[in-house]
Amino acid sequence: MNQQQINLFFDDLKLSWNKQNEETIKAGKHVMEKMLKREDLKKYLTNQSDNLAKGIELYRDSEFGFILLAYSETKGLYRMPHNHGNGWVIYSVVDGIIEMGTYALIGDMNLIKKEKHQVQIGSSEVYFPGDIHDTQCVSDSVIILRLTSCDLKEEEKQGRIKKFQKPCSLKT
């Protein structure tokens, strides 16, 4: 796999692009699933392991704004509950296992954990704008592709991303 091959995966997504349209998100998930089936994807990413820990931007669409990022995490790394503001995100696992939880917001900042599940090699999870979730690497390491509908740094700069500091218990 190389950069030119990565770019080709996104031609179909550009054809169906409409930032918040459900069909666009389905097309994005389809692109991610096709990428995960590539035998050479894991090798391509592990050859960049030094940069993978910091995150590698594999694709940025200047016209439509979506971004594909690859990154790795190590066992036990926990990301507190958060959302992605007005952006949607698709997490896809290339290698390893990550546990993801979803939350319901009660009032301004109180959360109830609705569910948690493990996302394994070859699987993807979609989170829509405002969806609150957390992540934790449960294998020795994990390699993740993250496709976002927009630049999350800009969402954070504009104050639309919400981060929650308190761990929450599972709803009973």
Side-chain angles (χ1 to χ4, degrees):
M1 177 164 275
N2 59 41
Q3 190 61 51
Q4 185 177 17
Q5 291 168 324
I6 290 172
N7 294 352
L8 290 174
F9 276 102
F10 292 97
D11 288 344
D12 289 342
L13 184 55
K14 286 192 246 185
L15 291 174
S16 65
W17 188 258
N18 177 353
K19 191 171 185 174
Q20 302 299 353
N21 181 303
E22 194 171 315
E23 290 302 314
T24 300
I25 297 168
K26 284 181 189 175
K29 189 171 182 192
H30 181 69
V31 165
M32 300 297 277
E33 289 168 351
K34 283 176 30 181
M35 287 185 79
L36 290 171
K37 290 179 182 173
R38 289 284 304 240
E39 296 281 328
D40 53 352
L41 176 64
K42 181 180 172 185
K43 183 178 178 183
Y44 174 73
L45 294 173
T46 53
N47 284 340
Q48 303 179 57
S49 62
D50 292 344
N51 296 325
L52 206 52
K54 296 178 223 159
I56 303 167
E57 188 174 288
L58 297 175
Y59 186 88
R60 178 182 290 259
D61 193 90
S62 58
E63 182 180 357
F64 299 111
F66 55 88
I67 299 169
L68 178 65
L69 184 72
Y71 61 96
S72 63
E73 295 182 346
T74 56
K75 187 171 189 149
L77 179 65
Y78 176 68
R79 298 190 190 273
M80 298 290 280
H82 62 280
N83 68 26
H84 293 283
N86 292 333
W88 54 257
V89 63
I90 302 170
Y91 293 96
S92 298
V93 176
V94 176
D95 191 42
I97 302 170
I98 192 161
E99 188 171 271
M100 303 183 100
T102 58
Y103 294 82
L105 182 61
I106 309 299
D108 289 338
M109 295 295 282
N110 297 316
L111 297 178
I112 294 176
K113 193 167 201 173
K114 298 190 301 186
E115 64 180 14
K116 66 179 178 177
H117 58 279
Q118 293 187 346
V119 184
Q120 302 191 20
I121 297 170
S123 297
S124 298
E125 282 296 314
V126 176
Y127 292 95
F128 293 91
D131 283 353
I132 302 167
H133 57 282
D134 64 0
T135 66
Q136 183 168 17
C137 178
V138 294
S139 55
D140 288 338
S141 64
V142 65
I143 298 174
I144 297 170
L145 292 178
R146 186 183 77 190
L147 178 64
T148 59
S149 61
C150 59
D151 189 335
L152 298 182
K153 289 178 183 173
E154 185 61 29
E155 287 297 296
E156 188 163 25
K157 183 178 168 183
Q158 296 298 322
R160 291 186 287 260
I161 289 181
K162 301 261 188 287
K163 296 180 181 178
F164 302 86
Q165 298 303 314
K166 295 179 185 176
C168 306
S169 59
L170 199 57
K171 183 179 179 180
T172 54

